Amino acid sequence: GAVVSQHPSRVICKSGTSVKIECRSLDFQATTMFWYRQFPKQSLMLMATSNEGSKATYEQGVEKDKFLINHASLTLSTLTVTSAHPEDSSFYICSAISPGLAGGPETQYFGPGTRLLVL
Amino acid sequence: EDQVTQSPEALRLQEGESSSLNCSYTVSGLRGLFWYRQDPGKGPEFLFTLYSAGEEKEKERLKATLTKKESFLHITAPKPEDSATYLCAVIMAAGNKLTFGGGTRVLVKP
């Protein structure tokens, strides 16, 4: 299957600083990537849709000025958590859409996730 | 409102004890249903895509089936390494966003 990487895998930062997380599709081009957030023992919550060359689309309740998304190329999307606070501590996961087979829907392949801890 | 519901929330199995996980959905215009496996501290791993009612897919000890209202993930003779959270997600005719169910946490004891 298609491979999606994330960097870093874990990050600890001080309150008030900004943190950038990278998401890369390694063996395919992805015009669309997604960013999710996951709390312990809960399912994935979609934060935003990242489209190459255009502005991201944010889900209701997600602050676009706090979670900056840039999709500068067909293989890279970045999520920057600005002025991070302890409540932003979470597991952030990206996914990228790979073309479907035989006219079927595309498949989303997920990165390994980034654990963010804000002190 | 589109909904995806998975049951049970948690499942404890003895090694070799086959079982099934359920994913029921109420969406308009289903375009595809996806099963993922997620291990603790990792991102979801793609397992299957099902497109239409009656379709079945198999991979090792896992078999996914689809009807017009639900999907089942059958685990045959599970092993401890099958322990994980299994996530079901659907994609509708319009758009490309996945709607996830709450997941089923499976624990297989040796």
Side-chain angles (χ1 to χ4, degrees), chain A residues 32 34 36 38 41-44 46 49 59 91 93 97 101 104-113 115, chain B residues 6 31-34 36 38 41-46 49 51 87 91 95-98 100-103 105:
Chain A
T32 303
F34 298 89
Y36 295 83
Q38 188 175 35
K41 296 192 176 182
Q42 293 188 24
S43 193
L44 282 72
L46 179 64
T49 303
E59 295 299 300
F91 191 51
I93 311 173
I97 289 183
L101 300 174
E106 306 91 347
T107 297
Q108 277 192 40
Y109 291 93
F110 287 82
R115 177 77 58 191
Chain B
Q6 290 187 246
R31 200 152 63 94
L33 184 142
F34 300 81
Y36 291 88
Q38 186 176 25
K42 296 186 178 181
E45 173 190 346
F46 172 72
T49 307
Y51 299 112
L87 298 167
I91 191 167
N96 55 13
K97 292 192 285 189
L98 288 176
F100 277 91
R105 295 190 307 278

Side-chain angles (χ1 to χ4, degrees), chain A residues 6 36-45 90-94 110-115, chain B residues 6 21 35-47 62 73 80-88 100-107:
Chain A
Q6 273 183 251
Y36 295 83
R37 185 172 180 175
Q38 188 175 35
F39 293 103
K41 296 192 176 182
Q42 293 188 24
S43 193
L44 282 72
M45 182 190 79
S90 190
F91 191 51
Y92 293 87
I93 311 173
C94 73
F110 287 82
T114 296
R115 177 77 58 191
Chain B
Q6 290 187 246
L21 284 55
W35 282 98
Y36 291 88
R37 168 195 171 124
Q38 186 176 25
D39 292 300
K42 296 186 178 181
E45 173 190 346
F46 172 72
L47 293 174
L62 301 177
L73 183 66
E81 52 262 43
D82 295 321
S83 298
T85 296
Y86 291 87
L87 298 167
C88 166
F100 277 91
T104 296
R105 295 190 307 278
V106 175
L107 175 63

Side-chain angles (χ1 to χ4, degrees), chain A residues 12-18 83-85 117-119:
Chain A
I12 301 174
C13 69
K14 293 182 178 180
S15 185
T17 61
S18 295
S83 186
H85 288 96
L117 177 61
V118 184
L119 302 177

Side-chain angles (χ1 to χ4, degrees), chain B residues 3-67:
Chain B
Q3 281 195 326
V4 181
T5 304
Q6 290 187 246
S7 63
E9 289 187 8
L11 190 59
R12 296 167 69 99
L13 301 170
Q14 285 296 131
E15 184 172 4
E17 178 188 0
S18 301
S19 188
S20 295
L21 284 55
N22 178 267
C23 171
S24 62
Y25 59 91
T26 53
V27 299
S28 52
L30 179 76
R31 200 152 63 94
L33 184 142
F34 300 81
W35 282 98
Y36 291 88
R37 168 195 171 124
Q38 186 176 25
D39 292 300
K42 296 186 178 181
E45 173 190 346
F46 172 72
L47 293 174
F48 304 110
T49 307
L50 300 167
Y51 299 112
S52 57
E55 190 174 2
E56 298 182 352
K57 294 272 180 76
E58 283 190 69
K59 180 180 179 180
E60 296 180 354
R61 295 177 293 282
L62 301 177
K63 179 180 178 179
T65 61
L66 181 66
T67 72

Side-chain angles (χ1 to χ4, degrees), chain A residues 54-118:
Chain A
S54 63
K55 291 184 178 180
T57 305
Y58 291 82
E59 295 299 300
Q60 191 173 10
V62 178
E63 299 176 59
K64 62 179 181 180
D65 294 331
K66 179 164 191 62
F67 299 100
L68 300 179
I69 292 172
N70 183 271
H71 194 151
S73 77
L74 289 172
T75 59
L76 173 64
S77 175
T78 61
L79 169 68
T80 301
V81 183
T82 63
S83 186
H85 288 96
E87 56 265 31
D88 298 323
S89 299
S90 190
F91 191 51
Y92 293 87
I93 311 173
C94 73
S95 70
I97 289 183
S98 178
L101 300 174
E106 306 91 347
T107 297
Q108 277 192 40
Y109 291 93
F110 287 82
T114 296
R115 177 77 58 191
L116 171 63
L117 177 61
V118 184

